Amino acid sequence: KRAGQQCAALHDSGAGVKIAIVTDAWSPQVNGVVPTLQRTAAALGPLGHEARVFSAQGHRTIPCPTYPEIRLALWPGRRLGADLDAFAPDAIHVATEGPLGMAAARYCTARGFEFTTSYHTQFPQYVRKRLPIPEELTYALLRRHHSQARRTLVPTEHQRRELVAHGFGNVVLWSRGVDTELFHPRGRDHLRHPLVDSRDFIQ
């Protein structure tokens, strides 16, 4: 039975689901992808779901060319497959397009599992600035990867339109949330009653 159908059935029953998040970008890396995934995984627990991140930690790795802060897993397919089999997720999200992401997509396709992907950054433009690789070639490789997914999640409408223009299908918005512990409507009196009155500067 497909993972997407299992997830839908569990959701309808009110039961929590087991969600695998596969990513080549993870702590201790410092970039926009890592905190997004950390907060997503953390938010799923209180909702009754179990989210587990599958990263390059524990794999043999090499530094990513031109971006050594990212460690890329070497030939992760067999180990990742065994780890995913052991976890037996109800849903799989492939967050990045590196070796782990590609291996996860192959894993899902081989087993007939539906999965989602996400597109976080302008990767073709990044590659072109560092290597003599045409953007369209990188877009073609990414399009092939993401075309296997049921949905490709992007953070902005601009990004969605850009991918659609490059031939990507099933692209949907995955908007960012707000940390209500940091941002909330309480204590806004200072906006209505500023500490400094502009008339104080008028002589």
Side-chain angles (χ1 to χ4, degrees):
K1 194 173 185 179
R2 290 180 179 270
Q5 294 171 331
Q6 292 175 328
C7 188
L10 288 167
H11 175 75
D12 291 342
S13 70
V17 299
K18 296 168 68 175
I19 303 168
I21 300 174
V22 183
T23 176
D24 295 271
W26 195 243
S27 178
Q29 299 164 26
V30 179
N31 54 46
V33 177
V34 173
T36 294
L37 298 178
Q38 287 175 329
R39 290 187 174 93
T40 299
L44 289 168
L47 297 176
H49 308 300
E50 181 183 357
R52 184 175 300 178
V53 174
F54 296 82
S55 71
Q57 294 178 356
H59 290 265
R60 185 181 177 188
T61 63
I62 59 172
C64 177
T66 78
Y67 198 165
E69 292 84 358
I70 291 183
R71 305 286 305 185
L72 298 178
L74 286 174
W75 311 112
R78 180 176 295 179
R79 176 166 183 169
L80 176 64
D83 290 344
L84 288 171
D85 283 341
F87 181 51
D90 301 302
I92 299 176
H93 177 64
V94 180
T96 55
E97 303 97 342
L100 280 166
M102 297 288 187
R106 290 193 298 270
Y107 170 92
C108 292
T109 301
R111 290 161 175 77
F113 293 163
E114 294 181 340
F115 64 99
T116 57
T117 59
S118 52
Y119 187 94
H120 295 274
T121 188
Q122 294 181 315
F123 189 63
Q125 291 82 351
Y126 174 86
V127 172
R128 182 65 185 89
K129 287 183 179 297
R130 287 156 178 79
L131 297 169
I133 299 176
E135 290 182 14
E136 282 307 315
L137 176 58
T138 306
Y139 271 119
L141 294 173
L142 294 177
R143 189 165 53 244
R144 180 179 178 182
H145 169 69
H146 289 285
S147 68
Q148 303 171 82
R150 181 178 177 86
R151 296 284 188 272
T152 295
L153 315 180
V154 296
T156 66
E157 174 61 21
H158 173 78
Q159 189 69 271
R160 189 193 70 80
R161 290 197 301 266
E162 183 173 335
L163 291 186
V164 170
H166 282 91
F168 288 64
N170 297 322
V171 185
V172 297
L173 282 177
W174 180 23
S175 60
R176 300 297 183 252
V178 175
D179 187 338
T180 56
E181 294 298 317
L182 293 175
F183 304 99
H184 50 75
R186 301 187 301 274
R188 295 180 54 139
D189 287 345
H190 67 284
L191 297 179
R192 291 186 292 272
H193 306 288
L195 297 177
V196 178
D197 191 326
S198 58
R199 290 173 296 180
D200 294 339
F201 296 94
I202 302 176
Q203 300 298 326

